Amino acid sequence: MKGNVTHTLFAIVFIGLYSCQDDKYAEALSPEESIATFDIHENFEVKLFASEPHIKDPVSLVFDEKGIAYAVEMPDYPYKPEEGKGKGVIKRLEDTDGDGIIDASTVFAEGLADATFLMPWKGGLLVTAAPHIYYLKDDNGDGVADTKRPIFSGFFENNSEAQITNLRLGIDNWVYAANNGQRSDVTYVEAPGEGPLELRGADFRFRLDKELFEKESGTAQFGQTFDDWGNKFFTQNTLHIQQTVIPSRYLERHGKLSSSSVNYNISDHELEMFQITPPPYWRAERTRRRNIQYQEQELDRVEYAEDHFTGASGGTVYDGGSFPEGFNGNVFTGDVAGNLVHRDIIVADKNSPTLIAKRATEEVSKEFIASTDPWFRPVGFTVGPDGALFLVDFYRQHIETPVSIPDDLKEDMDFMHGMEHGRIYKIVPKTGVSTAQVQDFSKMDAETLVSHLANKNGWWRTTAQRMILESPKPEYVPLLKKLVTNESPNAQLHALYLLQSMGALEESMVALALESTNYGVRKNALILAENFPNLKEEIAAKINDESPIVALQAILSLGNFEDDFTTDQLAKALVEKGENKWFRLGVLSSNVGSSEEILKVLHDDYKFSENEAAWKEDYLKEVNHILVGKGERAKAE
């Protein structure tokens, strides 16, 4: 309570100080002046990559298969543009003199409404711009997009901070998109006869190579990322890092679960952050008013104007292989309100099939980067071909939805002030990053291309994966089969999933991967084993794996089968692990795990109800709910 009082008193004093000033808000700094305000981890430095006039209001950056940088500008934020009058731009950025700083730019596409994210695909770019995901391509080589066609349509479009965004190519060859759980009716242009996919409380994923699309677990806002093993993390304003524990495809098997929320806040340090900028006048004053209101209503609630995540954005796993030991696999997240970059170290939870996000020991009371420049707005990151972590800085005086600010406070706020600014930085270790030049992946021979699936830099691996996925060739198959036994777990997984996509995956390869010493390989091998019924017993054996994440995946994968063996194994798993809600939900998600048959096995073989426990009661209630939903049991009066 003492801390709450301290924050409230500080806000009051802060308002008093500001009331004596004519100018409540600071003005813009030059890129060099802004960098000078950064307090950064002692082993790293920030270098300028691009700034105005070559980039303005940037929200996303990608590098295509030639190493060419493309960025999205979103000058319309925070307002919804009029129909057909979007000002969004995609820029191609060039460094003509080789000094590492962008000195030329061309407009690849313009007139886009609410464009937020890019992903290279088949020589062009996929672009999220609600209500669409577009495909844009330069057909004649002049650097300007000639083709612009919607691939998917129908996404929610009424809030620029909660729309379709963050395209990520997963290890499993699916492209994942953040949808913030918004209600959407999505149609696919290649399948006009199919009914729309209803998205609600879910994200989205698709495969253009297989013409597949479906809902996906999570309610990611602006920030969705995957580690090397397919674990999904996402940001959502105040919750800077959540994990989706169970994929939607399992939760949808019978569609009768009473609750299928699998968003899990994995931070062990909750909402706390360490900003070094004071809150802006409007935020401090709004917070002061709200806290007075809460006190008058006798609510047990306190709002904070600072030092608590409120604008978490762009969470990205670093997999570039050029940072010092211990940094690969860390998640970097910006907070646009706190003017900082936060770092999480991801570790396993030994007692649950979830992960834990922890602060580094050297960042227990500070952030990886914190700035005293209140215009610094780190909205996103990307790992570059050189292994650097590129930071996208929207750089605007105000960043907030106007509807969330009282009218009198908006009177002296210009939400478009600074829209001519924008910066992109490179975060690099002081020891430097790779200086190797990017070759054109589209011109590589098969052996060279496949070899990059074992590269230490995730950008090289993913780019090679994408090129193979876009244009599969028989000559890749024997090369990929050799990689199945490569010493790199990353290479093994890429090889297995690409072989699956080409119909060349063999049962023996999956069986071998199931015995890997790497938990991530075992986890994904279980997913692949779902297509090989002969491996059912091997799948069941992994329910006892030392890794809880692998054990949960074994339960989920086994649940795709429906026979007496599966019933017995899931009953045993429930008895041994059902106290944990994730294992319990994994069993319940399957038809067998929520059937009359498993209840009989639990009663006859395990005397399930003899020793009462709250979790057992929860399980039985949920089975009853599911059976009623299926029409296999009458609803109790």
Side-chain angles (χ1 to χ4, degrees):
M1 184 64 185
K2 181 179 178 181
N4 298 341
V5 173
T6 301
H7 274 82
T8 303
L9 288 174
F10 175 79
I12 294 172
V13 171
F14 184 72
I15 298 302
L17 290 173
Y18 257 134
S19 66
C20 298
Q21 300 177 10
D22 294 328
D23 188 2
K24 297 183 178 71
Y25 304 108
E27 284 300 324
L29 300 177
S30 70
E32 294 74 19
E33 290 171 333
S34 188
I35 289 176
T37 71
F38 292 176
D39 179 13
I40 184 171
H41 189 290
E42 64 179 1
N43 294 333
F44 290 82
E45 58 185 334
V46 173
K47 296 183 177 182
L48 182 65
F49 177 68
S51 63
E52 61 272 9
H54 301 298
I55 193 70
K56 298 180 289 186
D57 303 309
V59 291
S60 171
L61 171 75
V62 296
F63 295 87
D64 73 2
E65 60 272 13
K66 298 177 183 179
I68 297 171
Y70 291 86
V72 176
E73 297 179 344
M74 194 179 182
D76 290 314
Y77 176 87
Y79 300 108
K80 180 70 180 176
E82 294 181 33
E83 185 72 28
K85 296 185 178 181
K87 298 177 182 177
V89 175
I90 298 174
K91 288 271 186 72
R92 172 174 165 157
L93 305 177
E94 298 179 70
D95 170 17
T96 62
D97 59 9
D99 67 351
I101 300 176
I102 296 300
D103 51 36
S105 61
T106 56
V107 174
F108 178 75
E110 58 187 337
L112 298 165
D114 288 335
T116 60
F117 217 83
L118 304 172
M119 191 189 106
W121 182 256
K122 287 196 172 182
L125 295 170
L126 295 174
V127 185
T128 54
H132 308 291
I133 295 178
Y134 289 107
Y135 175 65
L136 277 66
K137 187 178 181 183
D138 169 18
D139 296 315
N140 58 16
D142 64 354
V144 179
D146 306 293
T147 296
K148 177 188 174 185
R149 59 186 177 90
I151 303 297
F152 297 100
S153 299
F155 295 104
F156 172 82
E157 57 179 319
N158 295 327
N159 182 347
S160 58
E161 294 184 359
Q163 296 180 170
I164 194 73
T165 187
N166 281 105
L167 298 172
R168 303 287 190 186
L169 177 60
I171 187 73
D172 58 0
N173 301 324
W174 285 79
V175 178
Y176 291 78
N179 182 56
N180 197 229
Q182 298 294 340
R183 185 166 187 170
S184 306
D185 293 316
V186 181
T187 57
Y188 179 38
V189 69
E190 299 296 331
E194 293 186 15
L197 171 67
E198 182 179 318
L199 288 183
R200 188 175 185 179
D203 287 333
F204 182 64
R205 74 173 192 165
F206 60 91
R207 284 192 65 165
L208 296 181
D209 62 319
K210 303 292 185 183
E211 297 190 345
L212 299 172
F213 61 104
E214 62 189 31
K215 64 176 62 176
E216 180 53 44
S217 295
T219 52
Q221 197 170 15
F222 198 80
Q224 175 187 237
T225 189
F226 294 83
D227 67 9
D228 287 347
W229 321 123
N231 296 307
K232 174 182 170 179
F233 311 108
F234 64 95
T235 55
Q236 200 176 31
N237 274 355
T238 58
L239 299 176
H240 76 277
I241 185 163
Q242 297 183 75
Q243 178 189 354
T244 53
V245 184
I246 300 177
S248 184
R249 62 185 179 275
Y250 299 114
L251 301 173
E252 296 287 324
R253 284 187 284 210
H254 53 68
K256 302 301 179 182
L257 290 167
S258 61
S259 174
S260 57
S261 176
V262 289
N263 300 343
Y264 185 55
N265 179 11
I266 63 171
S267 171
D268 74 349
H269 43 285
E270 297 302 326
L271 307 182
E272 184 181 52
M273 67 180 186
F274 301 103
Q275 69 189 83
I276 57 177
T277 52
Y281 172 81
W282 69 263
R283 184 178 295 279
E285 174 61 12
R286 185 184 69 177
T287 296
R288 184 187 70 85
R289 295 179 189 181
R290 287 179 174 177
N291 283 329
I292 290 174
Q293 182 181 9
Y294 299 152
Q295 292 168 13
E296 289 175 346
Q297 296 175 352
E298 298 183 350
L299 298 176
D300 183 19
R301 182 177 179 183
V302 176
E303 181 175 295
Y304 299 92
E306 61 178 332
D307 292 334
H308 289 69
F309 285 101
T310 183
S313 182
T316 300
V317 168
Y318 176 76
D319 62 355
S322 290
F323 281 12
E325 185 177 354
F327 282 85
N328 240 47
N330 291 182
V331 178
F332 291 82
T333 306
D335 190 283
V336 295
N339 319 112
L340 57 83
V341 175
H342 178 77
R343 175 169 71 107
D344 282 300
I345 296 175
I346 307 301
V347 299
D349 186 337
K350 296 179 181 179
N351 301 311
S352 183
T354 52
L355 296 162
I356 301 172
K358 305 177 71 69
R359 282 185 174 273
T361 54
E362 67 268 34
E363 293 162 21
V364 172
S365 59
K366 61 179 297 186
E367 300 298 342
F368 181 79
I369 295 176
S371 171
T372 56
D373 182 358
W375 285 53
F376 176 53
R377 311 294 186 183
V379 295
F381 308 84
T382 191
V383 176
D386 60 355
L389 181 64
F390 287 75
L391 187 161
V392 179
D393 178 5
F394 190 66
Y395 208 77
R396 187 81 74 83
Q397 186 177 60
H398 300 295
I399 187 163
E400 180 72 22
T401 302
V403 296
S404 299
I405 301 176
D407 289 341
D408 65 305
L409 296 180
K410 287 189 289 190
E411 289 178 357
D412 54 4
M413 296 175 67
D414 178 1
F415 290 91
M416 307 306 290
H417 185 50
M419 62 182 293
E420 71 276 15
H421 295 288
R423 286 87 194 263
I424 300 174
Y425 301 109
K426 287 175 64 170
I427 301 172
V428 297
K430 291 180 178 177
T431 53
V433 290
S434 172
T435 57
Q437 294 297 309
V438 177
Q439 305 168 21
D440 185 345
F441 277 68
S442 66
K443 296 180 179 179
M444 288 180 182
D445 61 68
E447 187 172 355
T448 302
L449 182 61
V450 171
S451 72
H452 285 309
L453 295 173
N455 197 292
K456 69 174 185 177
N457 184 333
W459 180 86
W460 289 74
R461 294 196 303 269
T462 302
T463 302
Q465 171 198 2
R466 177 173 59 80
M467 299 304 293
I468 295 169
L469 198 64
E470 291 175 357
S471 182
K473 300 173 183 177
E475 60 195 285
Y476 294 146
V477 172
L479 297 169
L480 290 170
K481 286 183 176 180
K482 289 182 181 179
L483 274 191
V484 168
T485 56
N486 190 279
E487 64 181 15
S488 163
N490 301 107
Q492 291 175 27
L493 283 185
H494 279 302
L496 289 167
Y497 274 115
L498 287 168
L499 286 168
Q500 181 199 42
S501 74
M502 289 188 276
L505 184 64
E506 299 171 7
E507 184 178 295
S508 60
M509 300 173 186
V510 179
L512 180 65
L514 283 170
E515 301 308 315
S516 170
T517 58
N518 181 284
Y519 97 89
V521 173
R522 297 198 304 276
K523 173 196 169 185
N524 285 277
L526 284 164
I527 296 170
L528 293 165
E530 294 169 12
N531 296 310
F532 297 98
N534 289 336
L535 294 178
K536 187 167 50 180
E537 291 188 9
E538 286 82 351
I539 293 174
K542 294 303 173 187
I543 294 175
N544 297 314
D545 195 276
E546 63 180 7
S547 164
I549 290 178
V550 174
L552 175 60
Q553 184 59 57
I555 289 171
L556 295 171
S557 295
L558 186 63
N560 280 345
F561 301 98
E562 298 183 17
D563 55 20
D564 291 342
F565 174 79
T566 300
T567 303
D568 291 341
Q569 292 298 311
L570 290 184
K572 182 174 181 289
L574 180 71
V575 171
E576 295 176 350
K577 302 177 183 291
E579 190 172 357
N580 180 287
K581 69 175 183 178
W582 301 115
F583 289 121
R584 192 163 67 247
L585 182 58
V587 172
L588 284 164
S589 70
S590 67
N591 281 301
V592 165
S594 56
S595 65
E596 293 279 10
E597 288 75 17
I598 197 170
L599 292 180
K600 186 175 188 303
V601 172
L602 289 169
H603 178 271
D604 294 347
D605 296 352
Y606 296 100
K607 314 302 179 188
F608 189 69
S609 299
E610 288 187 3
N611 298 316
E612 294 185 2
W615 72 265
K616 292 182 178 181
E617 185 177 344
D618 290 342
Y619 170 78
L620 293 172
K621 285 181 178 179
E622 184 65 15
V623 171
N624 186 68
H625 169 84
I626 292 167
L627 292 174
V628 169
K630 290 180 177 179
E632 296 177 13
R633 178 177 290 183
K635 185 176 182 179
E637 296 296 333

